Amino acid sequence: NPEVSYFFFFFKHSKREIKMRKLDSTKLRPLKSEQLLRIEDHDFALRPGFGGSPIPVGIDVQVESIDSISEVDMDFTMTLYLRHYWKDERLSFRSNKNRSMTFDGRLIKKIWVPDVFFVHSKRSFIHDTTVENIMLRVYPDGNVLFSLRITVSAMCFMDFSRFPLDTQNCSLELESYAYNEDDLMLYWKHGNKSLSTDEHISLSQFFIEEFSASSGLAFYSSTGWYNRLFINFALRRHIFFFVLQSYFPAMLMVMLSWVSFWIDRRAVPARVSLGITTVLTMSTIMTGVSASMPQVSYIKAVDVYLWISFLFVFLSVIEYAAVNYLTTVEERKQLKKRGKASGTYSIDAVQAMAFDGCFHDTDVDMDLSFSDRCEENETRARAASIPNVDTTRMKRKRSLKGNVGRIILQNNHVIDTYSRIIFPSVYIVFNFFYWGLYI
Amino acid sequence: SHIYKKNHDITKTWKGKSEQLLRVDDHDFTMRPAFGGPAIPVGVDVQVESLDSISEVDMDFTMTLYLRHYWKDERLSFPSTTNKSMTFDGRLVKKIWVPDVFFVHSKRSFIHDTTTDNIMLRVFPDGHVLYSMRVTVTAMCNMDFSRFPLDSQTCSLELESYAYTDEDLMLYWKNGNESLKTDEKISLSQFLIQKFHTTSRLAFYSSTGWYNRLYINFTLRRHIFFFLLQTYFPATLMVMLSWVSFWIDRRAVPARVSLGITTVLTMSTIITGVNASMPRVSYIKAVDIYLWVSFVFVFLSVLEYAAVNYLTTVQERKERKLRERFPCTCGIPHSKTMMLDGNYSESDANSLAGYTRNQMVPEEEKQEKVVVHLTMSNESNSSRKRGLKGHVGLRIIQNTHAIDKYSRLIFPGTYIFFNLIYWSVFS
C-alpha cells in the first residue's frame, strides 16, 4: 500500500528529525531555563522540604516612599521593594562559576514562592508597568532571591487626643497566609538592618522619626501560630501649618475682642458688632479645622484651644452686655432717687444722653416724667438751670450725698478698666499652661 | 507523498505562521538574549504625549507617553529577501523575552488597552526588535513650595530595569538627548513647561547591585495670573478698604469699628481659602507671607481706631473735670455729641443737626460759647491760654486728629513699600 509505506517513511523521517532536534538542543547553549531548572519535575504546590522541617524565608524591605497618611480613613499608603530569600534544592543547577542567573518574572508562575501577605491592609497591588515588577534570581546552589515592588494601603490606628501636637505610631505587618510556624519561618534577613529607606523619603506634613523592624508570633485559634514581621515607624506632625492656620487666627480674634474694652462704652453699636463679628470668625475657624478630621468621640488638643478662645470672645460680648445693663439700671435708680428726694437733681449730660438719647449741652436737671420731645426737656431743664453752674456743682454735691448710684456709674468704667487687665492676663496664663502641657 | 509535500511546502514558504517564523517554540522567554554572556544593550526612546495633571496635594504628576525599546535578539531572526521588518500582533509579546523596564517612584501606571493592548512589536530580519507601548504613569515629584505661587518645580520620570543589573542589561537613550520628543501641543493650564531633557545614571541597591537608570527631566513654571486674581488682588483690596476708615470721621464709632472688623473677617476667609488646596507643609510659603502681612495691616487699622477712640474718651474726661474746676459754660466739644447720637455736627456745638436751638439761651452763655467756638476753630495758642489755662485736653484732641492724619500717610506708604520688597524678592 503506497500510503502506508509513505506513512512509515514519514514517521521514520519525523522521528529522526525529532531525535535530531533533541540532540541539537541538548548540545546548544544557552539551555532553556525550564530544562535548566528542571521545571517539569518541580511541583510548585509543594514547598521545599515538604513534610520535613520548616523552611526559613528571609525578608528584606526597602521602602521607596510613604505616599500619604490619611486621618479621615486612618490609614497610610507605602510603596516598597519586598525581597524574599529562601533555598529550594529542586532549583539548583550545575555551574562552573558561582554566578546567579536572573530570569524573567513570568517564571514564578511555575515554581513555588512564599505566600506573604500584609495583615490589616486595605488595598495593595504589584506594579505591572511595563511588565510585572518581579525579579527572580536563582543561584547555583538553589538559593532564590524573589523581589517585588508593591504599593500597599494599610490600617493604622491613630490617637488624636493631642492633635496637632501628636505622634503617630504605625506599622506594616507581613505574614505568610497558609504556612504556620511549623512549615515556614519568616525572619528578617539582616536583623534590624533589613529595613532600609530611600534617601529622600519625606512627607510634607510629618517628620519620620524612626523606622524599625521587629518580629513576633501571631496566634489564630483555628489555624495556629504564625510568624509575623513588623515594619514600625513613628511620625511626628509638623505643627507649623496648624499654627498658621488655626492657632494664630484664633489668637488674633481674641486680641481683637479685647479692643472692645478700650472703646467708649457709650458706643453701643460699635462694641456689640465688634464682639459679635469676632464670635462669628472664631466659629468659622473652628468649622474649618474639623472639616478634615475624623469625627472622634474625644476632645483634641486643638479643640481645647479653639473652644477656650471662643469662650474668651464670648465673654467679652457678655461683659459689654453687663456694662450696658448696669448703666441703664443706674440711670433708673438715679431717677427713682430723684423722685424720692422730690427735687430736681442734675446729672451729667453724658448720663442723660445714655438715658434718653437726646443731646444735652450742659448738665441738666432731669424730671421724673420725661417726654419724647427732647426740646421740651431741654427747655424745662434750661429753665431749671438758669442759675449758673455754680449751683450745678452744689447740686451735684447735694445729689451725690447718699447717692450710691453715681459711684456705681463710675464703677461701670471700672468693669471695663478691670477687663482690660484681667482678660489679657488670664489668656496669657492659659497659653502658658496649654503650650507647657502639650509640648 | 503529498503529506510530505505539505511539510516541504511549509518549510519552503516564508509566509509561515509567526510562531514558526520566529521559532517561538524554541524561544525560552524566561531567558534574556545572550543568556550567561555579555550584557544586552537596550535602547530607549520616549515620545511624551501629554502631561495630564500636576497635583500639589499629592505631590505627583501624571504623564502619558510612548515608550519604545530597541534590542537585538538572535533567536528571533528570520530569513528574508527584502530587508523589511515584520509587524506582529501585540499578543505575541507574551511568548518572547522583553526587557522589564519599570518607572521608579511611580504610584500608579497602566498600559492602555483600548481597543486592544496598545503594544507594537516589530521584528527585523536580523533579529532587531522594536517594542513600543503607550503608558500612563503617575509618579512622585518632590515639590518645594517656599516660593509658591511664584515657584518652579523640577520633576523627573525614572526608567530602570527591575530584574537585570548593569551586568545583564544596559539601558541607554537611543539617540542621546534627542531620544525625548514631545507632542507639539503639549501644555498645561497652570504651568509653563520650560524644558524636557534626558540624563542617565547608575543606581545602587544594597541587596541587588547596580542598575542603569534613565531620567526624563522637565521644569514647570507656574502661571501667576490665577493667583493674582484669586488671592493677591482681593487681599490688596481689603487692605485698601481698611484705609478708608482713616478718612471717616472719628466720631462715627459704629462705622469705623464695623469697617475694620469686616475687613479682618474677609482676610481670614481669604487665608482659609488658599490653604484648602495646598498640602500641609511645615514652612511658610510666599503667598502666606503676603496674606499674613496684609492681615496684620488690617488688624492694625482696627487697633489704630481703638487707640483714637480711647484717647478721645480720656480727653473728654479730662475736659469734664476741668469744666468742674473752671466754671464756664463752654459748649460741649463736638466730639462728645458725636459719640452719643452718632450724628455729625459742626464744630459749633450749638447747631446740632435736627435739634433747634431755642432762644432761651442766656446771652452771656451764648457769648461765651461763641468765644469758645472761636477759640476752638482758630486753634490758636493764645486763646487756648486764655480760655483753658493749662488744659492739655485740647492738645490731645488735636493729637487724635493727628493719629488719623499720620495713619493716612503711614499705612499706605508702608504697604506700598512692603509690596515693592515682596515682588522684587519673589519675581
Side-chain angles (χ1 to χ4, degrees):
Chain A
N1 219 346
E3 271 117 47
V4 176
S5 67
Y6 285 140
F7 242 83
F8 274 119
F9 188 66
F10 167 68
F11 266 114
K12 245 176 45 178
H13 265 271
S14 51
K15 250 202 217 154
R16 197 153 25 116
E17 267 180 48
I18 290 168
K19 218 171 30 178
M20 270 175 76
R21 227 184 2 183
K22 260 211 187 122
L23 265 169
D24 291 330
S25 55
T26 49
K27 274 205 197 136
L28 286 167
R29 281 190 80 252
L31 306 164
K32 283 167 82 161
S33 65
E34 300 193 353
Q35 279 195 343
L36 182 71
L37 300 177
R38 291 165 285 140
I39 296 292
E40 276 104 52
D41 296 333
H42 182 115
D43 183 358
F44 60 73
L46 301 175
R47 66 168 181 87
F50 190 79
S53 53
I55 174 173
V57 174
I59 299 283
D60 189 330
V61 166
Q62 179 168 338
V63 179
E64 191 183 54
S65 65
I66 298 183
D67 299 330
S68 67
I69 317 272
S70 166
E71 280 89 19
V72 178
D73 301 324
M74 285 221 212
D75 64 23
F76 66 94
T77 306
M78 187 192 273
T79 303
L80 55 130
Y81 298 94
L82 179 62
R83 304 182 187 108
H84 310 69
Y85 302 79
W86 74 95
K87 180 161 175 170
D88 194 341
E89 303 273 350
R90 302 171 287 182
L91 296 173
S92 60
F93 56 93
R94 279 174 292 114
S95 158
N96 2 28
K97 28 190 200 327
N98 214 7
R99 256 184 79 206
S100 66
M101 305 199 104
T102 306
F103 296 97
D104 189 275
R106 287 167 282 185
L107 192 58
I108 63 158
K109 290 187 185 60
K110 301 194 175 177
I111 64 170
W112 179 89
V113 289
D115 57 344
V116 171
F117 81 109
F118 299 97
V119 197
H120 300 122
S121 69
K122 295 183 179 182
R123 286 172 303 280
S124 53
F125 60 94
I126 301 174
H127 289 259
D128 60 359
T129 310
T130 56
V131 291
E132 292 241 292
N133 292 176
I134 293 175
M135 168 170 80
L136 186 63
R137 202 178 276 181
V138 185
Y139 290 81
D141 58 354
N143 273 308
V144 184
L145 162 57
F146 171 50
S147 167
L148 302 159
R149 190 166 87 103
I150 297 173
T151 291
V152 55
S153 288
M155 212 173 80
C156 174
F157 185 70
M158 301 186 184
D159 175 29
F160 295 117
S161 52
R162 292 175 69 100
F163 178 91
L165 302 119
D166 57 342
T167 300
Q168 301 297 345
N169 287 310
C170 293
S171 70
L172 187 61
E173 305 165 30
L174 292 90
E175 194 178 294
S176 163
Y177 195 79
Y179 299 99
N180 59 21
E181 223 200 345
D182 301 326
D183 284 318
L184 193 148
M185 290 191 315
L186 218 52
Y187 67 101
W188 287 110
K189 181 114 181 101
H190 308 288
N192 214 14
K193 292 189 215 79
S194 313
L195 193 54
S196 56
T197 61
D198 259 7
E199 53 295 338
H200 45 257
I201 196 174
S202 69
L203 287 161
S204 57
Q205 202 190 137
F206 291 89
F207 173 67
I208 304 174
E209 278 189 330
E210 44 140 354
F211 265 99
S212 67
S214 58
S215 65
L217 283 166
F219 180 67
Y220 294 82
S221 48
S222 355
T223 41
W225 289 89
Y226 288 80
N227 278 116
R228 188 179 288 190
L229 302 180
F230 298 84
I231 299 172
N232 310 299
F233 54 98
L235 302 162
R236 191 155 53 84
R237 200 181 300 268
H238 286 307
I239 181 78
F240 186 77
F241 173 81
F242 294 94
V243 165
L244 217 56
Q245 183 80 349
S246 307
Y247 287 96
F248 198 47
M251 226 182 279
L252 284 181
M253 283 303 120
V254 175
M255 289 185 202
L256 212 56
S257 71
W258 300 337
V259 164
S260 152
F261 305 137
W262 297 83
I263 293 176
D264 198 299
R265 63 190 165 83
R266 291 166 295 179
V268 187
R271 284 189 70 163
V272 169
S273 66
L274 181 59
I276 274 298
T277 313
T278 45
V279 168
L280 173 63
T281 315
M282 277 304 301
S283 178
T284 311
I285 291 172
M286 284 160 61
T287 316
V289 167
S290 13
S292 61
M293 290 295 302
Q295 296 160 344
V296 288
S297 64
Y298 46 83
I299 197 162
K300 304 186 281 289
V302 67
D303 283 342
V304 168
Y305 195 88
L306 291 178
W307 276 104
I308 292 187
S309 302
F310 187 84
L311 195 67
F312 272 84
V313 168
F314 189 73
L315 284 177
S316 78
V317 177
I318 303 283
E319 183 266 359
Y320 182 64
V323 165
N324 192 290
Y325 177 68
L326 287 173
T327 308
T328 325
V329 159
E330 201 30 57
E331 295 308 312
R332 253 184 244 136
K333 274 203 185 130
Q334 284 187 350
L335 258 163
K336 279 205 196 114
K337 259 202 168 50
R338 209 192 61 184
K340 281 194 205 143
S342 72
T344 59
Y345 83 115
S346 80
I347 59 173
D348 194 43
V350 174
Q351 302 163 23
M353 177 56 52
F355 185 52
D356 64 9
C358 302
F359 167 71
H360 309 276
D361 61 341
T362 57
D363 293 350
V364 293
D365 290 336
M366 290 297 294
D367 232 347
L368 248 183
S369 63
F370 61 98
S371 62
D372 288 331
R373 295 188 54 229
C374 299
E375 289 84 0
E376 237 180 74
N377 273 346
E378 275 300 299
T379 41
R380 236 181 300 135
R382 210 157 293 286
S385 74
I386 278 175
N388 64 25
V389 192
D390 277 334
T391 55
T392 309
R393 200 159 28 111
M394 283 162 51
K395 276 185 197 152
R396 215 178 286 124
K397 274 211 186 118
R398 208 189 320 134
S399 55
L400 199 61
K401 229 180 285 200
N403 187 355
V404 210
R406 205 177 167 76
I407 297 171
I408 298 181
L409 209 59
Q410 302 301 97
N411 287 347
N412 280 342
H413 277 241
V414 167
I415 290 182
D416 264 347
T417 316
Y418 283 163
S419 302
R420 288 174 196 167
I421 301 170
I422 290 178
F423 273 67
S425 47
V426 174
Y427 194 66
I428 289 172
V429 166
F430 157 68
N431 266 286
F432 272 126
F433 271 119
Y434 183 86
W435 295 107
L437 184 66
Y438 279 108
I439 292 190
Chain B
S1 167
H2 72 244
I3 296 173
Y4 184 74
K5 273 219 184 78
K6 202 152 59 142
N7 248 354
H8 219 65
D9 290 331
I10 290 171
T11 49
K12 269 202 198 141
T13 54
W14 61 274
K15 268 205 303 267
K17 287 165 81 166
S18 64
E19 300 192 354
Q20 278 197 343
L21 183 68
L22 298 179
R23 292 165 289 140
V24 172
D25 289 331
D26 292 336
H27 181 113
D28 182 3
F29 60 74
T30 59
M31 295 165 76
R32 66 170 180 87
F35 190 80
I40 176 175
V42 174
V44 172
D45 191 329
V46 166
Q47 180 168 337
V48 178
E49 193 182 48
S50 66
L51 265 171
D52 299 332
S53 70
I54 318 275
S55 166
E56 283 86 19
V57 179
D58 301 323
M59 288 224 209
D60 63 27
F61 66 95
T62 306
M63 186 192 272
T64 302
L65 55 129
Y66 298 93
L67 179 61
R68 304 181 188 108
H69 310 71
Y70 303 80
W71 75 95
K72 181 164 176 173
D73 193 341
E74 303 271 352
R75 303 172 287 181
L76 297 174
S77 62
F78 57 91
S80 160
T81 38
T82 59
N83 216 9
K84 255 185 80 198
S85 66
M86 303 201 99
T87 306
F88 297 97
D89 189 276
R91 285 165 284 184
L92 193 57
V93 163
K94 291 186 186 58
K95 299 197 174 176
I96 64 171
W97 179 89
V98 288
D100 57 344
V101 170
F102 81 108
F103 300 98
V104 197
H105 299 120
S106 71
K107 295 186 179 181
R108 285 175 301 280
S109 52
F110 60 94
I111 299 174
H112 289 258
D113 59 1
T114 312
T115 56
T116 55
D117 273 341
N118 293 176
I119 291 175
M120 167 173 82
L121 187 64
R122 199 177 280 181
V123 185
F124 290 81
D126 58 353
H128 273 106
V129 185
L130 161 58
Y131 171 49
S132 165
M133 59 178 64
R134 191 166 86 101
V135 176
T136 291
V137 55
T138 302
M140 217 170 74
C141 174
N142 259 331
M143 302 187 183
D144 175 29
F145 294 115
S146 51
R147 294 176 67 103
F148 177 89
L150 302 119
D151 56 342
S152 264
Q153 303 297 344
T154 306
C155 294
S156 70
L157 186 61
E158 305 164 31
L159 291 90
E160 194 179 297
S161 163
Y162 194 77
Y164 298 99
T165 61
D166 204 20
E167 295 159 10
D168 284 319
L169 193 148
M170 288 190 316
L171 217 54
Y172 67 100
W173 285 111
K174 183 114 180 101
N175 301 317
N177 217 14
E178 280 111 52
S179 313
L180 187 56
K181 291 183 284 290
T182 61
D183 261 7
E184 54 293 340
K185 11 186 251 294
I186 194 174
S187 69
L188 287 160
S189 57
Q190 204 190 128
F191 292 89
L192 171 71
I193 303 173
Q194 281 189 321
K195 58 175 183 165
F196 270 96
H197 72 281
T198 63
T199 46
S200 73
R201 281 216 301 262
L202 283 166
F204 179 69
Y205 294 82
S206 47
S207 339
T208 43
W210 289 90
Y211 290 83
N212 278 116
R213 191 179 287 188
L214 304 179
Y215 295 81
I216 299 172
N217 309 298
F218 55 97
T219 311
L220 303 163
R221 194 155 57 83
R222 201 182 298 268
H223 287 308
I224 180 78
F225 186 75
F226 171 77
F227 294 93
L228 275 179
L229 218 57
Q230 182 83 350
T231 309
Y232 286 96
F233 197 49
T236 312
L237 284 182
M238 282 303 118
V239 175
M240 289 189 198
L241 211 57
S242 71
W243 301 337
V244 165
S245 154
F246 305 137
W247 297 85
I248 292 175
D249 197 298
R250 63 191 166 83
R251 293 167 291 181
V253 187
R256 284 188 73 164
V257 167
S258 56
L259 181 60
I261 272 299
T262 312
T263 45
V264 167
L265 175 60
T266 313
M267 277 305 303
S268 176
T269 310
I270 291 174
I271 289 173
T272 317
V274 165
N275 283 319
S277 62
M278 289 295 300
R280 299 176 178 180
V281 289
S282 63
Y283 45 85
I284 197 162
K285 304 186 283 288
V287 69
D288 283 340
I289 293 179
Y290 195 88
L291 291 178
W292 279 103
V293 172
S294 304
F295 189 88
V296 164
F297 270 86
V298 167
F299 190 74
L300 284 176
S301 78
V302 176
L303 290 183
E304 183 264 358
Y305 183 65
V308 165
N309 189 290
Y310 177 68
L311 289 172
T312 309
T313 322
V314 159
Q315 145 74 357
E316 245 177 64
R317 245 179 258 142
K318 284 212 177 105
E319 272 188 356
R320 206 184 321 129
K321 284 202 191 110
L322 230 64
R323 258 186 301 112
E324 289 171 25
R325 263 186 284 142
F326 306 112
C328 87
T329 53
C330 309
I332 296 175
H334 56 272
S335 57
K336 198 157 145 193
T337 68
M338 176 53 51
M339 264 189 274
L340 302 184
D341 60 18
N343 294 331
Y344 176 70
S345 71
E346 297 294 331
S347 55
D348 184 352
N350 291 328
S351 63
L352 202 60
Y355 288 90
T356 54
R357 228 9 57 204
N358 50 37
Q359 283 73 29
M360 306 221 10
V361 178
E363 269 309 305
E364 46 188 290
E365 275 189 351
K366 203 174 185 179
Q367 264 180 345
E368 283 186 53
K369 279 177 199 156
V370 168
V371 162
V372 173
H373 164 59
L374 281 171
T375 303
M376 286 168 65
S377 60
N378 287 342
E379 301 167 357
S380 57
N381 273 342
S382 53
S383 55
R384 218 179 287 135
K385 278 198 192 129
R386 183 174 20 115
L388 316 151
K389 213 178 292 195
H391 192 178
V392 211
L394 198 61
R395 205 168 294 130
I396 296 180
I397 284 191
Q398 303 303 95
N399 286 346
T400 48
H401 270 248
I403 290 181
D404 264 346
K405 273 203 201 120
Y406 287 154
S407 302
R408 288 175 197 167
L409 293 167
I410 289 177
F411 273 67
T414 319
Y415 194 66
I416 289 172
F417 182 63
F418 158 69
N419 266 287
L420 284 174
I421 293 183
Y422 182 87
W423 294 107
S424 58
V425 166
F426 283 108
S427 286

